[in-house]
Amino acid sequence: MAVKIRLARAGAKKKPFYQIVVTDERNKRDGRFIENVGTYDPNQNPAAVKLEEVKTLEWLGKGAQPTETVKQILKKSGVWEKFVAKAA
């Protein structure tokens, strides 16, 4: 079972809102997930990101792989650097 950290879409038509979730990669995009670790709202200027840092770092430490989009969000919020520094 490969665990991914990815975006799950929510919100109305033409107004997306995303939850950053930890899920099995075999599940559907908006389907079942293990844990919700944050939100991403691209409608605001600049885009609003709210992350539960402790939970995110815990899942990364357990081996969860972020998608490319989530990895960029983690880099912008500074969580990715904390994870790399902790792993080294």
Side-chain angles (χ1 to χ4, degrees), residues 4-8 17-22 35-41 47-60 64 66-83:
K4 292 272 189 184
I5 302 175
R6 66 180 180 203
L7 298 175
F17 179 82
Y18 298 94
Q19 294 179 335
I20 302 170
V21 298
V22 178
E35 188 168 16
N36 186 344
V37 295
T39 60
Y40 171 64
D41 188 358
V49 177
K50 293 181 185 173
L51 276 172
E52 294 184 34
E53 239 179 81
V54 176
K55 287 182 181 180
T56 306
L57 289 170
E58 182 182 324
W59 279 106
L60 288 169
T67 60
E68 287 300 317
T69 306
V70 171
K71 194 173 190 179
Q72 292 302 317
I73 292 171
L74 293 176
K75 284 181 180 179
K76 285 184 181 179
S77 65
V79 175
W80 187 253
E81 285 76 23
K82 289 181 184 179
F83 170 65

